[in-house]
């Protein structure tokens, strides 16, 4: 039932002692980084005096901006020769955020993911088809190594190409898939359109779904369409990737592995701690990673934590589904996108006027993104062929920035609504 019984069911008092011990190691590593050395100095903090988890609250939180601003090595705590891999946050070009791993870091991450998979019943003998992107995205390689560690036959197929996915699932008798929830529903509908029944003609017992927010209703629909269990998987590349928090078979909240991270849930405005059940922003401190220590990372993800112990016997606290974000990032087909990325592309195109709008929707289980762009009058009322070329150019430039291709619609200047307050740039009509 447990991958590591002792640690998974460790009494909370001991677990917190372990956290405080590991915090010392994290602080030690942090002092070796340019970023934290400077942060401690500026804030007159002596890391040697930070002994308890309480004390940690005196350290200012770290943001994605900090990671960007100190690219490429500002957060690196080990000699470069010890680094064996890097991952970088999805969906952003320009200055990315980079996370470095030593061989031992990767080993620990692999174990962390194996623990999650084992918890929901993945075993040696399972056939695991990983439909997440490989490469810089962490959902591919991160989950891959965890599944191999358990001894499952692991198929690194990556995302997309539904017919091929279905062919693999049928021929290799796939029992477990890792998939983005919005794609799971689309895949089920494609399976049906091939004249197959996802419940009868496949061998699936488990889906691991993550990388984007989804509701309990969506999960139930996925489970019903496949006749299999679907478990929520939460992670972010700054905190390794998948494996940060994962549902157990009770499907009520996700266990956040507290031997790997120190969890805080805080009010995003005041940074005051929230009580159990109160939605706030998740702050995470790495407790089990050498190359890139991060202290009090502002994930911008909103959720609450549970106080009650879980019937599964694991003592690591549970967090709720992600309820939203404390910034304006949205996730499209698993890819994180900031409206500012789209704005930057558009504003660099001379023909584009100042107003634009991003409309997200879902049609036939497919997420769609439409970018409406106002064009300056001298270009809008001109040659149709030129306009079409402009549209294609905008599309291509957006694609290279955000890694997905939106539909682009050029509109007459002054035709998009203007708001008096903060511009509403993103209209999300997808039902979660
Ligand atoms: P990945 O490459 O694994 O998608 P990223 O770092 O690109 O990781 O994205 C992490 C972000 O994705 C999280 O901060 C969160 O907003 C979102 N996310 C990941 N998993 C989930 C989940 N299960 N539910 C809701 N949002 C999620
Ligand atoms: K994501
Ligand atoms: Zn549990």
């Amino acid at each position: 039932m447990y991958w590591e019984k002792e640690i998974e069911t460790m009494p909370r008092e001991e677990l917190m002692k372990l956290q405080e011990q590991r915090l010392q190691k994290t602080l030690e590593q942090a002092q070796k980084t340019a970023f934290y050395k400077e942060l401690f100095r500026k804030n007159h903090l002596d890391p040697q005096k930070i002994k308890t988890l309480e004390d940690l609250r005196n350290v200012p939180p770290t943001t994605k901006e900090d990671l960007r601003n100190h690219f490429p090595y500002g957060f690196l705590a080990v000699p470069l020769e010890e680094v064996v891999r890097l991952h970088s946050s999805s969906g952003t070009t320009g200055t990315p955020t980079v996370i470095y791993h030593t061989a031992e870091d990767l080993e620990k991450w692999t174990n962390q993911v194996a623990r999650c998979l084992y918890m929901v019943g993945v075993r040696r003998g399972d056939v695991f088809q990983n439909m997440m992107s490989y490469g810089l995205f962490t959902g591919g390689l991160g989950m891959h190594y965890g599944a191999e560690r358990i001894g499952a036959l692991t198929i690194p197929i990556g995302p997309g190409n539904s017919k091929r996915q279905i062919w693999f699932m049928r021929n290799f008798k796939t029992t477990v898939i890792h998939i983005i929830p919005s794609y799971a529903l689309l895949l089920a509908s494609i399976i049906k359109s091939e004249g197959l029944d996802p419940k009868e003609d496949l061998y699936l017992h488990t889906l691991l779904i993550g990388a984007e927010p989804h509701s309990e209703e969506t999960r139930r629909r996925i489970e019903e369409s496949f006749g299999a269990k679907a478990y929520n998987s939460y992670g972010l590349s700054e905190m390794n990737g998948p494996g940060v928090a994962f549902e157990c078979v009770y499907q009520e909240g996700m266990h956040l592995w507290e031997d790997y991270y120190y969890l805080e849930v805080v009010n995003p405005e005041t940074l005051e701690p929230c009580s159990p059940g109160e939605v706030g922003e998740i702050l995470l401190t790495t407790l089990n990673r050498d190359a890139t220590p991060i202290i009090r990372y502002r994930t911008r993800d909103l959720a609450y934590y549970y106080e009650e112990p879980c019937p599964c016997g694991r003592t690591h606290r549970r967090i709720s589904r992600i309820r939203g974000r404390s910034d304006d990032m949205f996730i499209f087909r698993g890819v994180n996108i900031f409206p500012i990325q789209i704005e930057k592309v558009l504003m660099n195109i001379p023909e584009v006027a100042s107003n634009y709008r991003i409309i997200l929707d879902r049609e036939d289980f497919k997420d769609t993104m439409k970018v409406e762009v106002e064009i300056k009058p001298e270009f809008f009322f001109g040659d149709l062929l030129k306009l079409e070329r402009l549209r294609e150019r905008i599309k291509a430039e957006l694609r290279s920035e955000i890694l997905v291709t939106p539909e682009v619609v050029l509109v007459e200047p002054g035709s998009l609504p203007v708001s008096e307050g903060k511009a509403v740039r993103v209209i999300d009509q997808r039902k979660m």
Side-chain angles (χ1 to χ4, degrees):
M1 195 181 159
Y2 307 105
W3 180 250
E4 292 165 292
K5 181 156 196 257
E6 198 186 325
I7 206 111
E8 290 175 48
T9 62
M10 184 175 265
R12 285 208 61 80
E13 232 167 79
E14 265 177 63
L15 186 55
M16 281 161 75
K17 240 187 256 153
L18 178 69
Q19 287 193 307
E20 289 191 347
Q21 270 166 23
R22 290 196 175 168
L23 176 63
Q24 293 313 310
K25 180 75 201 279
T26 294
L27 291 166
E28 215 176 278
Q29 289 303 101
Q31 271 174 286
K32 298 180 195 159
T33 69
F35 175 79
Y36 286 112
K37 211 189 285 167
E38 176 62 14
L39 183 96
F40 294 147
R41 197 194 56 76
K42 263 200 328 235
N43 291 278
H44 312 289
L45 288 167
D46 178 358
Q48 247 124 37
K49 292 207 179 111
I50 303 172
K51 291 287 174 215
T52 64
L53 298 165
E54 269 304 282
D55 299 341
L56 190 63
R57 280 177 46 198
N58 300 321
V59 182
T62 300
T63 63
K64 205 183 198 64
E65 277 304 290
D66 292 329
L67 286 167
R68 287 224 174 91
N69 292 341
H70 295 81
F71 177 88
Y73 298 128
F75 280 80
L76 182 61
V78 299
L80 206 49
E81 310 82 90
E82 283 180 34
V83 173
V84 298
R85 198 194 303 161
L86 65 79
H87 277 283
S88 149
S89 185
S90 68
T92 43
T93 55
T95 317
T97 59
V98 193
I99 302 300
Y100 300 95
H101 301 275
T102 64
E104 208 184 313
D105 292 339
L106 289 183
E107 177 56 34
K108 289 175 184 162
W109 181 19
T110 296
N111 181 65
Q112 180 189 1
V113 172
R115 193 193 279 177
C116 298
L117 301 187
Y118 200 85
M119 176 164 71
V120 297
V122 181
R123 295 289 182 274
R124 191 187 167 83
D126 270 311
V127 179
F128 174 71
Q129 191 165 327
N130 193 2
M131 302 187 184
M132 291 287 187
S133 295
Y134 278 70
L136 288 173
F137 285 90
T138 53
L141 287 172
M143 219 42 134
H144 182 100
Y145 285 111
E148 279 188 356
R149 174 59 49 87
I150 283 182
L153 193 174
T154 305
I155 309 176
I157 191 162
N161 198 341
S162 302
K163 293 212 166 143
R164 189 155 159 268
Q165 300 283 5
I166 299 165
W167 191 91
F168 269 73
M169 287 168 88
R170 284 176 50 80
N171 283 281
F172 297 109
K173 301 194 167 51
T174 299
T175 55
V176 183
I177 62 176
H178 180 207
I179 188 167
I180 295 170
S182 56
Y183 180 50
L185 288 171
L186 175 64
L187 183 64
S189 85
I190 295 171
I191 293 170
K192 285 182 199 145
S193 71
E194 300 266 287
L196 299 168
D197 179 351
K199 285 202 280 281
E200 297 296 324
D201 301 320
L202 300 175
Y203 308 86
L204 276 191
H205 59 72
T206 302
L207 296 92
L208 315 172
I209 54 176
E212 67 183 11
H214 57 284
S215 63
E216 186 58 37
E217 291 65 37
T218 296
R219 182 245 293 281
R220 293 295 165 214
R221 277 175 60 188
I222 293 172
E223 291 192 323
E224 276 156 28
S225 359
F226 285 94
K229 287 282 180 190
Y231 295 102
N232 195 359
S233 154
Y234 170 75
L236 59 160
S237 46
E238 292 82 355
M239 293 290 130
N240 288 354
V244 174
F246 215 89
E247 273 180 346
C248 66
V249 293
Y250 288 92
Q251 296 185 309
E252 176 63 62
M254 300 180 276
H255 288 284
L256 189 132
W257 300 120
E258 293 178 274
D259 56 328
Y260 277 80
Y261 309 99
Y262 176 59
L263 165 71
E264 294 172 83
V265 179
V266 301
N267 178 313
E269 311 276 312
T270 62
L271 298 182
E272 282 304 310
C274 291
S275 32
E278 188 189 344
V279 174
E281 184 178 325
I282 299 177
L283 255 55
L284 294 171
T285 299
T286 59
L287 295 176
N288 212 9
R289 191 167 74 187
D290 285 344
T292 320
I294 301 184
I295 300 172
R296 307 190 78 210
Y297 185 64
R298 294 200 64 167
T299 65
R300 302 284 177 182
D301 290 321
L302 301 175
Y304 60 83
Y305 72 94
Y306 292 68
E307 200 173 39
E308 318 78 59
C310 183
C312 76
R314 290 180 183 82
T315 50
H316 298 241
R317 273 180 302 180
R318 289 168 291 162
I319 56 167
S320 69
R321 284 179 184 288
I322 305 304
R323 299 310 196 77
R325 299 268 311 169
S326 71
D327 62 9
D328 57 3
M329 184 188 97
F330 62 91
I331 303 183
F332 181 73
R333 298 186 188 162
V335 178
N336 304 352
I337 298 168
F338 290 91
I340 191 76
Q341 292 177 269
I342 292 179
E343 176 159 324
K344 207 177 73 191
V345 169
L346 295 178
M347 295 309 133
N348 271 324
I349 298 172
E351 292 91 334
V352 169
S354 57
N355 212 357
Y356 68 94
R357 198 159 70 151
I358 303 158
I359 299 170
L360 305 169
D361 209 342
R362 182 165 293 163
E363 281 164 28
D364 299 333
F365 307 112
K366 217 178 191 156
D367 281 11
T368 60
M369 186 195 315
K370 184 160 80 181
V371 181
E372 297 177 332
V373 188
E374 281 188 12
I375 300 301
K376 289 178 186 160
E378 60 270 38
F379 300 104
F380 191 78
F381 301 103
D383 191 332
L384 260 187
L385 190 66
K386 272 196 194 144
L387 265 187
E388 182 52 24
R389 275 199 210 115
L390 173 63
R391 199 175 72 83
E392 286 301 324
R393 198 168 90 222
I394 296 175
K395 215 157 100 175
E397 291 197 17
L398 283 173
R399 192 197 142 68
S400 86
E401 171 69 29
I402 60 177
L403 310 178
V404 290
T405 317
E407 182 194 347
V408 172
V409 181
L410 307 184
V411 302
E412 202 173 323
S415 64
L416 293 178
V418 280
S419 55
E420 309 228 314
K422 195 170 177 282
V424 180
R425 297 299 193 189
V426 183
I427 298 167
D428 194 345
Q429 296 167 334
R430 297 174 295 181
K431 280 212 190 67
M432 281 303 157

